Amino acid sequence: MARLLACLSLFLLVACGGASPRISSPQASGWEADVLGGPPDARLVLRLDQANADPVYGGPATPYDKRSTSDPELEALFRDVKTIELWFVADQRDADRSSLLVVVRGKPDFELLRTHRDARALFSKQPERLRSGVLAYDLPAGSTPLSFFLMPSGTWVIAAGRIAGRVRYHLFSHGEDPPPTPYEPDALLAFWVGPGASRLAGVQKHARGFEELSMAIRSSRSGDVEVSVKFGDAKHAREALDSVKELLAELPRAQKVLADSCPAWERVRFDLVREDRALTGRVSNLPPLVRAYRTGACRYDEKR
């Protein structure tokens, strides 16, 4: 597990030589503890509005962007989405049956969702209007409770598993949107997985020494991606660092090869640092590289 997590830190990352880890350990808010029944075991926040407004990563597609064929219906559905937030609670041994809460903020097109050929059957029954004005749909999902709540603002709240009843109870008398998560406020995408995830079947045997994993992809103003793995003790952190030393030694050569086809690679910096029980990797100065490919100054290698 230590080697696996260390490799993940190395290849997902972002760096600025030797700097201390900047990813914070999230604290459960009062609202989260209320609807989840305690702190979450994992969380994710995707700030689409910030990503779309970013001068380097956002904006309309360029002729040089490598993007898969767009789905017009999917784009219309999420066109006005601002953020997507997700919380996971490992309250069952099976991840598929554990609790999940998703909040989709902004103005997602509910009418398009309700009438979509793949979702029409799910929303065929009339919703229940809660006292708060929230519309509640109980969706068929086998033995796992699944509820969809349409807030008066247009925000979606989706709850699955044991917490579905707790979420309904809260929204019965609260029609305002759930408070936005303050986790990593300067990140376009951030996620955190805590030690509770090791309770899941298939994870326990691989999670020895693991305490938490976090990742943040920051705006072009910061220009980095950071991944941090925290272990239960310094011994496991040392083992993880030792396991990737050979890979670290290969980075300069690999970067030189990439720079032959796109010199902007020379400006990207990689770093992997251990501080006591934490192993943190960073890749920094990414905007010049992204800009080079998006403007056509560098070309993608179609053979890769």
Side-chain angles (χ1 to χ4, degrees):
M1 184 64 175
R3 180 179 177 83
L4 174 62
L5 292 174
C7 290
L8 182 60
S9 296
L10 179 63
F11 288 111
L12 286 179
L13 290 199
V14 225
C16 69
S20 299
R22 293 187 296 146
I23 300 179
S24 60
S25 294
Q27 299 294 322
S29 67
W31 177 82
E32 291 172 356
D34 185 23
V35 298
L36 300 178
D41 296 308
R43 68 169 70 225
L44 178 146
V45 56
L46 173 61
R47 298 183 174 96
L48 290 171
D49 54 345
Q50 294 183 29
N52 289 332
D54 191 278
V56 175
Y57 303 137
T62 75
Y64 305 98
D65 282 339
K66 298 288 287 186
R67 298 186 182 180
S68 57
T69 304
S70 62
D71 181 336
E73 287 189 332
L74 188 63
E75 288 188 359
L77 187 64
F78 289 99
R79 181 177 296 123
D80 296 319
V81 170
K82 292 184 176 179
T83 63
I84 298 175
E85 298 161 4
L86 180 151
W87 296 262
F88 175 79
V89 181
D91 49 15
Q92 302 289 334
R93 284 184 54 78
D94 186 348
D96 291 341
R97 297 176 59 236
S98 291
S99 292
L100 181 70
L101 175 65
V102 181
V103 176
V104 182
R105 302 180 187 276
K107 294 287 185 180
D109 193 331
F110 175 70
E111 190 61 23
L112 181 58
L113 173 68
R114 189 182 67 82
T115 58
H116 193 278
R117 61 184 180 277
D118 295 331
R120 193 178 299 130
L122 296 176
F123 295 95
S124 59
K125 295 183 179 179
Q126 287 296 312
E128 176 187 7
R129 182 176 291 275
L130 305 183
R131 189 175 66 185
S132 61
V134 174
L135 296 181
Y137 293 83
D138 290 324
L139 306 182
S143 60
T144 302
L146 176 63
S147 297
F148 180 102
F149 302 93
L150 181 62
M151 308 298 291
S153 67
T155 288
W156 300 353
V157 176
I158 305 156
R162 176 187 58 81
I163 67 167
R166 299 183 67 94
V167 174
R168 183 190 181 280
Y169 179 83
H170 178 86
L171 296 181
F172 184 82
S173 55
H174 294 81
E176 67 277 7
D177 283 3
T181 177
Y183 182 57
E184 291 297 319
D186 67 334
L188 306 180
L189 169 67
F191 74 77
W192 172 88
V193 179
S198 63
R199 294 192 296 265
L200 297 172
V203 175
Q204 269 183 334
K205 62 181 180 180
H206 299 294
R208 187 176 60 182
F210 166 74
E211 192 164 296
E212 61 182 49
L213 165 69
S214 51
M215 184 185 80
I217 299 178
R218 306 189 191 282
S219 68
S220 59
R221 185 171 51 189
S222 301
D224 67 8
V225 178
E226 182 178 353
V227 176
S228 182
V229 184
K230 190 175 182 180
F231 298 90
D233 53 54
K235 175 178 176 291
H236 283 95
R238 285 195 302 270
E239 290 175 352
L241 182 60
D242 291 342
S243 68
V244 294
K245 281 184 176 177
E246 291 184 8
L247 295 174
L248 284 170
E250 292 295 318
L251 274 178
R253 186 173 68 87
Q255 190 171 4
K256 185 178 184 304
V257 172
L258 291 168
D260 288 340
S261 59
C262 183
W265 275 100
E266 295 173 344
R267 303 177 65 181
V268 179
R269 292 179 294 175
F270 300 86
D271 184 38
L272 187 63
V273 177
R274 183 179 77 84
E275 289 194 350
D276 192 26
R277 297 184 295 131
L279 191 65
T280 300
R282 220 175 276 149
V283 187
S284 63
N285 204 25
L286 289 172
L289 179 67
V290 175
R291 192 178 291 111
Y293 282 107
R294 294 199 70 192
T295 60
C298 292
R299 294 182 296 181
Y300 294 93
D301 185 351
E302 299 293 345
K303 297 179 181 178
R304 298 189 179 198

